[in-house]
Amino acid sequence: MAPTPSIPKAAFWMALSITSFLAMSVAGRATTAELNVFQVLELRSVIGFFILLPLVMATGGLAAMRTQRPLAHIVRNVVHYSGQAAWLYALTLIPLAVLISIEFTTPIWTAILAVTFLGERLSRPRLAAIALGLIGVVVIVRPGVGSADVGHLVVLGAAVCFGVSLVLVKSLTRTDSVTRIIFWMLIIQSVIGLVPALYEWRNPSLALWPWIILIGFSGMSSHFCLARALAYADATVISPMDFLRVPLSALIGWLLYQEQIDAFTAGGALLILMGNLLNLQRRQPKPAEAAVS
């Protein structure tokens, strides 16, 4: 039974989701300062699995996790894992607000891919959204003027991977539950990342474990809270709240890492967010899609 729509409840869950995403960013920077990206992802997947396990047991146990589409899960998680690895690596290279701003191009890439592979219509608002998003990236990166950073390209690649992943998730939600999709995400990504994680494995220091646990927990809670928020209000209400991550990440970057944001980054981020708002006018993602994106 669907919950009764409630803006205050949606705002509450969205605030928790934003807090989780920001906590994951800070924890990601802390953990990757000592451990390699693949080890962080491996620990995140394993910890996330044990956090999810009680929910799996409450929804039918391991038998209910059987899927008829193993290949689709594998392809989706190879792409998603690549995006996560790129995102974490970019976190060590560029300011937090720049990373989050470029990450917000994910809906733009999703729109392009949905037109290409799912046969969705390229309407004028959607075309304008894509154009604004691409212009915003160019403003931030400024190719050819000596300011482009490899981190910009890495996080842009991550955003494209997340867009591909979201399109695949849209297909998976037709047959599999959110819990099943997340279950296989954690299993498959644990397997994918095991060898590269062990290749340069370091025993984490005792002081690092709270950050490791935080990134494992926040990686799960961010998407769970987002799905709960979408259960109480439409995406047209929820997504503009999520845009608060850009100024908040800039504030965190300034307070914790003494990062400065220039006018080009602010202007490019604004164009990207405007593109997202245009894209929202024509499509409202299901809670299931948001939960596992």
Side-chain angles (χ1 to χ4, degrees), residues 30-231:
T31 51
T32 52
E34 181 175 324
L35 308 175
N36 72 72
V37 167
F38 300 109
Q39 184 175 348
V40 172
L41 286 175
E42 185 67 16
L43 289 168
R44 177 188 168 184
S45 294
V46 172
I47 292 171
F49 175 79
F50 284 104
I51 294 173
L52 182 70
L53 201 54
L55 181 59
V56 171
M57 295 296 104
T59 54
L62 297 178
M65 297 299 106
R66 292 177 181 172
T67 179
Q68 301 300 316
R69 304 177 65 188
L71 183 59
H73 281 281
I74 291 171
V75 172
R76 182 257 164 174
N77 281 293
V78 168
V79 174
H80 191 244
Y81 182 87
S82 301
Q84 287 185 312
W87 188 89
L88 271 178
Y89 180 55
L91 194 59
T92 68
L93 300 175
I94 58 177
L96 186 57
V98 176
L99 180 142
I100 299 299
S101 297
I102 298 178
E103 181 196 348
F104 266 101
T105 62
T106 294
I108 307 301
W109 306 118
T110 303
I112 294 173
L113 291 163
V115 169
T116 305
F117 296 105
L118 300 180
E120 294 189 8
R121 190 171 61 88
L122 189 62
S123 62
R124 287 184 179 178
R126 173 177 261 182
L127 188 60
I130 292 171
L132 283 172
L134 294 178
I135 294 170
V137 171
V138 171
V139 170
I140 293 174
V141 176
R142 285 169 284 165
V145 297
S147 63
D149 190 291
V150 66
H152 296 151
L153 300 179
V154 172
V155 73
L156 191 59
V160 173
C161 286
F162 292 149
V164 174
S165 174
L166 189 56
V167 171
L168 292 170
V169 165
K170 181 176 181 180
S171 174
L172 283 169
T173 53
R174 296 169 183 167
T175 56
D176 289 356
S177 67
V178 175
T179 303
R180 186 184 297 164
I181 293 172
I182 296 178
F183 174 83
W184 284 110
M185 178 187 77
L186 296 172
I187 292 291
I188 294 170
Q189 293 192 17
S190 294
V191 173
I192 292 172
L194 182 60
V195 172
L198 291 176
Y199 184 72
E200 294 186 10
W201 184 272
R202 287 184 176 184
N203 291 325
S205 63
L206 187 62
L208 195 63
W209 275 105
W211 293 113
I212 293 172
I213 294 171
L214 178 60
I215 197 171
F217 178 79
S218 59
M220 294 289 298
S221 63
S222 56
H223 295 298
F224 176 81
C225 293
L226 178 58
R228 292 293 297 165
L230 284 166

